[in-house]
Amino acid sequence: MSSRICELVSKSALYHKRLMTRMLERFDVTYAQYQVLKVIKQHQPLSAKEILVHLDTDKATLSGVLSRLEQRGYIQRDRDRSDKRVLHVRLTRTSSALLEAIEVKETECTDSLTHNIKNRELKNFFNVFERIINNQLRKIDEIEQEQRRQSKEKENDNDEETPL
Amino acid sequence: MSSRICELVSKSALYHKRLMTRMLERFDVTYAQYQVLKVIKQHQPLSAKEILVHLDTDKATLSGVLSRLEQRGYIQRDRDRSDKRVLHVRLTRTSSALLEAIEVKETECTDSLTHNIKNRELKNFFNVFERIINNQLRKIDEIEQEQRRQSKEKENDNDEETPL
DNA sequence: CATATAATGTTTGTGTGCAACCTAAAGAAG
DNA sequence: CTTCTTTAGGTTGCACACAAACATTATATG
């Protein structure tokens, strides 16, 4: 029965991505790009690191997405003058207008997901879902610690063979 | 509020994939590969097309995964003698044994997701989730039809310019 | 039989997702 | 000032998602 959760979550995430991709097709923007653009819009100007805080993705992935967005003229990347490591990312006029149009379509899509679901049902749904997600996080932690222990043991074994 | 669904679904799917990836790390198998192996185990021997029925993925992706699985000696691919287009895919001894071990770990992971959730709560959760997924599918259909109408119109426009 | 069409897989190209490594700049310690 | 460490971001390599084009083999149809 528990494995049913994984099926539903995976399937639903797949469909969500598919829906967004279809919706974004005619705007010629990918879902990942749109998510980044939204964050930029809400907080611009901001650095790459700040974008990451809002997105649960990876800096390597983000770097690629930003490159493509800049190439297409959707964003501007400038270095900070006092600290030349950090970026200042902001939208261009083109993308600001584009985002307005997309956001309308997006709410249309997300709203359609709940039209036959009562408020009370939804509330319980969220409640259980959040507990499940916490369980996921806990289990991930548990496994990562397990791995760390094992690799530390291996490291110690190596130290014995090749000491300082 | 509806957009909260998308957040939770995306986040949970991400965590699920992360959990499975961590769990599979020491078996040196990716999550996609494991999913394919599981389907093969349950129905072997079977064709690539039949694998796709059980997986909601793409034939191009599957082709790559199967190549890698074959390279590592986890599966065997033979052509059907009477219809040389179709494959007969089956596990090797190595992977059969491996799968047994992995499946134990997997149930351990999935079971941990529900340990603090009552049966009734879970039942309601599934019920709502399934309705949401249906709504997702409906909306995807709606958008795909919209796109088809638009591309058909464009096609007609082209026909007027370049008739037979 | 010959040609058109359909079915099964593979290949190719673009965009992620993610780990591992690299660079340049900033800060800290001596 | 010099060296060590940390930080922001970029690059590389591998696997996958997915669209589109392709090859091969079957099948339908004239």
Side-chain angles (χ1 to χ4, degrees):
Chain A
M1 260 311 108
S2 303
S3 65
R4 181 117 186 83
I5 294 181
C6 306
E7 285 173 39
L8 291 179
V9 165
S10 302
K11 201 189 281 189
S12 180
L14 183 72
Y15 294 158
H16 173 59
K17 204 172 167 186
R18 194 173 292 170
L19 176 57
M20 288 297 112
T21 303
R22 293 281 175 289
M23 185 273 285
L24 289 168
E25 232 161 48
R26 58 172 147 153
F27 298 108
D28 196 32
V29 177
T30 69
Y31 186 38
Q33 289 168 5
Y34 173 54
Q35 285 177 305
V36 171
L37 286 176
K38 263 203 302 190
V39 172
I40 298 174
K41 181 188 174 188
Q42 284 165 7
H43 304 90
Q44 64 180 325
L46 77 174
S47 68
K49 194 188 174 189
E50 287 167 322
I51 295 179
L52 288 176
V53 173
H54 301 280
L55 273 185
D56 213 342
T57 180
D58 180 84
K59 62 176 179 165
T61 306
L62 178 63
S63 184
V65 172
L66 289 179
S67 298
R68 266 163 249 127
L69 284 175
E70 191 174 38
Q71 265 189 342
R72 299 185 185 189
Y74 287 163
I75 63 162
Q76 214 181 321
R77 273 194 291 191
D78 306 301
R79 293 279 170 186
D80 187 304
R81 298 240 172 127
S82 67
D83 186 340
K84 290 174 191 163
R85 291 170 307 176
V86 324
L87 290 178
H88 290 300
V89 182
R90 68 193 80 215
L91 299 184
T92 60
R93 281 204 195 117
T94 326
S95 57
S96 299
L98 192 70
L99 271 182
E100 301 286 339
I102 297 179
E103 277 168 355
V104 173
K105 280 289 163 194
E106 192 194 12
T107 21
E108 186 189 311
C109 285
T110 56
D111 283 350
S112 74
L113 302 184
T114 57
H115 75 278
N116 56 358
I117 295 170
K118 289 176 198 152
N119 243 325
R120 248 177 48 89
E121 289 178 314
L122 208 56
K123 211 174 148 189
N124 289 330
F125 177 77
F126 285 154
N127 181 302
V128 175
F129 211 157
E130 275 158 15
R131 280 190 278 159
I132 289 175
I133 290 178
N134 280 333
N135 290 339
Q136 289 181 308
L137 287 175
R138 212 187 327 265
K139 192 68 186 177
I140 291 174
D141 258 21
E142 187 185 317
I143 288 199
E144 282 180 350
Q145 281 181 23
E146 198 176 304
Q147 314 264 12
R148 266 198 292 276
R149 264 201 306 281
Q150 284 176 11
S151 59
K152 197 173 284 179
E153 279 169 26
K154 203 183 291 177
E155 211 172 277
N156 289 341
D157 289 0
N158 289 344
D159 282 358
E160 286 170 20
E161 291 162 22
T162 62
L164 307 179
Chain B
M1 263 311 109
S2 304
S3 65
R4 181 116 186 84
I5 295 180
C6 307
E7 284 172 38
L8 291 179
V9 164
S10 301
K11 199 188 284 188
S12 179
L14 185 72
Y15 294 158
H16 173 59
K17 205 172 166 186
R18 193 171 295 169
L19 176 57
M20 288 297 112
T21 303
R22 292 284 175 287
M23 183 273 285
L24 289 167
E25 232 160 48
R26 59 172 146 154
F27 298 108
D28 195 33
V29 177
T30 70
Y31 186 39
Q33 288 168 6
Y34 172 55
Q35 284 178 306
V36 171
L37 286 176
K38 261 203 302 189
V39 171
I40 298 173
K41 180 188 175 188
Q42 282 163 8
H43 303 89
Q44 65 181 328
L46 79 173
S47 68
K49 195 190 174 188
E50 287 168 321
I51 295 178
L52 288 176
V53 173
H54 301 281
L55 274 185
D56 213 342
T57 180
D58 179 85
K59 61 179 178 165
T61 306
L62 178 63
S63 184
V65 173
L66 289 180
S67 298
R68 265 162 252 128
L69 285 175
E70 191 175 37
Q71 265 190 341
R72 299 185 185 189
Y74 287 164
I75 63 164
Q76 213 182 322
R77 274 194 293 191
D78 306 300
R79 292 281 171 184
D80 187 306
R81 298 241 171 128
S82 67
D83 185 342
K84 290 174 192 163
R85 292 171 307 179
V86 324
L87 289 177
H88 290 301
V89 182
R90 69 194 78 214
L91 299 183
T92 60
R93 280 202 196 120
T94 325
S95 56
S96 298
L98 192 70
L99 272 183
E100 301 287 340
I102 297 179
E103 277 168 356
V104 173
K105 279 288 164 195
E106 192 194 11
T107 22
E108 186 190 310
C109 285
T110 57
D111 283 351
S112 74
L113 302 184
T114 57
H115 76 277
N116 57 356
I117 295 171
K118 290 175 197 151
N119 243 325
R120 249 176 50 88
E121 289 178 314
L122 207 55
K123 211 173 149 190
N124 289 330
F125 177 76
F126 286 154
N127 181 303
V128 175
F129 211 157
E130 274 158 15
R131 280 189 278 157
I132 290 175
I133 290 179
N134 280 333
N135 290 338
Q136 288 181 308
L137 287 175
R138 215 189 323 268
K139 193 68 185 176
I140 292 175
D141 258 22
E142 188 185 314
I143 289 199
E144 283 181 349
Q145 281 181 25
E146 199 176 302
Q147 312 264 14
R148 268 196 291 277
R149 266 200 305 281
Q150 286 177 9
S151 58
K152 199 174 280 179
E153 279 168 24
K154 202 182 290 176
E155 212 172 276
N156 290 341
D157 289 359
N158 288 347
D159 284 359
E160 286 169 21
E161 291 162 21
T162 61
L164 306 178

